[in-house]
Each structure stands twice: as structure tokens, then as C-alpha cells.
Amino acid sequence: MRRLILISSNHKRRNEQANKQPTQKDRKSRSSLSNNNLTSSQNSNINNGNNKQNIASYGSQTQFKASFTISRDKDDTPACFKQDGERFTNEQTLKLYSAADYTVKMEIAPNMELLYIKFGGVETPFKSTNDPEKDQKSIYQFLWSTKGIDPTENRHRTDVLCSMKFKNFKEIEFRLQVKFYTLQKMKHATWGEKLNSISMDCTAGRGTYQSFVEKMKYI
């Protein structure tokens, strides 16, 4: 019983404290507490604002044009291409031999410093063949070997993954839609239009901006 009375007494004391009118000192204390909470909330909003600024976009982008000419290294014969319409991913298909060496010339305007170039996922040594500052464009040349690539089956196409990286910018990836032929099928490999160049409109980005190919066309 004594224990129950004690609990009851404590409960009564809490009720008395709850019903007691706040003094001026209490009001000041509560006001100070409210102000502290308000300040804390304001600081939280400020921090959130700083976080938003920290994740904002930074860096830059630049547009340039790239063109590739592809010819057999053996006799300098240009590659051919054909119009495929909407049967495949791209409307145009490049026609190449599956066991041959090709000379690839690459022109970039305005001039940009190339760090590496990959055809078929393989990094290829290259050389500069002009004066970029004088010409206001960069011209590079490299040898691409298709040895080890299987001929493409009938009614199929092969996507050749390529990438290039320029100084101060992110890597740019692109794909060439190709049909590879054996050396014995010369008539099929050379039927179509002579390839003057593969023309690409590109955007190179740095920071939070991406690099990509906007448009590609065989001409």
C-alpha cells in the first residue's frame, strides 16, 4: 500500500507541476529554447543550400568535327559502304575484309591533342601528320588490322566499338556498323559506294559534362 501511495503522490506532484502557471523566468527559458531551435533549423537550411551548390554542374563542353578515311594498306584502295535502310541499328554499313590491314586517317577540327585511339577495343599507335597550330586542325594516321575478326554472317552486322580521348576531355565512344568479308569475296566487299570519309559531329566534355557523338554519317 505504501508503494501505491508513493506512486500516487508522485503522480499528484506531476499534476501540480503541470497545472502550475509558468513564471517569467520559465517564459524566458522557453523563449530561448525556441530561438535555439529556430537557429538550428536555419543552419540546416543553409547547409542544405551549400550541399546543393556542391553537387551543381561544373566543367565545360566543346564541339568539334571528326572525319575518318579508311583504305587498304596494301594498295590504298578505299573501303566501300552500302545503304541498309532500317533493317539494322544504323542505316549504313561499312564493308571491310576480315583479315587485312587498313590505313586510317583521322582529321579533327578545330585542332585537339589526341591522347589515344582504340578501334575494336584495341589501342593503336598513331602519328601526327601536320602542323595543328598552322592548319587549325589536327590530322593523325594509324594502322588498323582486322586479323582475327571473323567474317560477318549473312543478314547480320558487326558493331566495332571504338573510342578516342583528347587532352583535358573525357573519352568519346562510338560504334562502326560493319560487314566483314573473306578475301575471297572481293566482289561482295567492293560492291557499293566508295567511302570518302566517316563524318562525325562530336561534343567533348570535362567535369560533370559528358563526351559523345551527336551524328555520324558515311559519305
Side-chain angles (χ1 to χ4, degrees):
M1 292 294 294
R2 185 177 299 174
R3 192 173 184 181
L4 289 174
I5 292 172
L6 182 60
I7 293 174
S8 177
S9 175
N10 288 338
H11 180 67
K12 182 178 179 181
R13 188 175 299 171
R14 291 193 193 97
N15 288 339
E16 290 175 352
Q17 291 177 349
N19 293 329
K20 184 179 178 181
Q21 295 297 320
T23 64
Q24 185 176 1
K25 182 178 180 180
D26 293 333
R27 293 192 186 96
K28 289 182 179 179
S29 177
R30 292 179 184 177
S31 176
S32 176
L33 181 61
S34 297
N35 288 335
N36 288 337
N37 288 337
L38 178 61
T39 303
S40 176
S41 176
Q42 289 173 340
N43 287 336
S44 177
N45 291 335
I46 292 172
N47 289 335
N48 288 337
N50 289 336
N51 289 337
K52 290 180 180 179
Q53 291 177 359
N54 290 337
I55 62 175
S57 298
Y58 67 92
S60 62
Q61 287 180 315
T62 185
Q63 281 74 42
F64 68 94
K65 288 187 176 293
S67 65
F68 295 85
T69 60
I70 302 176
S71 58
R72 285 195 67 183
D73 184 62
K74 179 180 179 180
D75 52 17
D76 204 32
T77 303
C80 295
F81 71 97
K82 61 178 292 189
Q83 304 290 342
D84 270 331
E86 298 180 353
R87 295 191 300 154
F88 303 98
T89 304
N90 296 326
E91 295 183 357
Q92 298 173 308
T93 296
L94 188 63
K95 309 179 81 173
L96 301 173
Y97 292 109
S98 62
D101 292 329
Y102 287 92
T103 298
V104 182
K105 295 180 181 179
M106 173 183 176
E107 184 174 309
I108 306 296
N111 60 305
M112 299 176 69
E113 183 179 346
L114 180 67
L115 297 183
Y116 64 75
I117 179 76
K118 296 180 182 180
F119 262 49
V122 179
E123 187 169 339
T124 306
F126 63 88
K127 63 180 180 180
S128 176
T129 61
N130 77 317
D131 184 344
E133 296 297 330
K134 179 181 178 181
D135 299 337
Q136 294 299 301
K137 63 181 179 181
S138 301
I139 301 177
Y140 301 97
Q141 181 175 313
F142 59 92
L143 189 68
W144 176 35
S145 176
T146 62
K147 295 175 182 177
I149 299 178
D150 294 330
T152 307
E153 296 180 5
N154 289 336
R155 299 180 182 178
H156 289 78
R157 297 294 181 265
T158 301
D159 283 336
V160 178
L161 178 62
C162 306
S163 60
M164 54 187 175
K165 180 173 173 58
F166 299 93
K167 187 176 181 180
N168 298 326
F169 292 98
K170 293 182 178 179
E171 181 183 76
I172 300 177
E173 291 187 349
F174 59 97
R175 295 175 184 269
L176 299 179
Q177 182 170 287
V178 181
K179 184 166 186 179
F180 289 99
Y181 297 87
T182 62
L183 293 173
Q184 290 73 30
K185 293 187 176 181
M186 181 180 296
K187 184 177 180 180
H188 294 280
T190 56
W191 180 86
E193 302 178 55
K194 297 294 183 183
L195 179 71
N196 292 315
S197 68
I198 300 173
S199 177
M200 299 192 305
D201 293 338
C202 306
T203 295
R206 53 186 165 191
T208 58
Y209 293 91
Q210 300 302 312
S211 297
F212 53 91
V213 174
E214 297 182 43
K215 184 172 63 175
M216 178 192 299
K217 189 175 183 180
Y218 300 165
I219 56 177

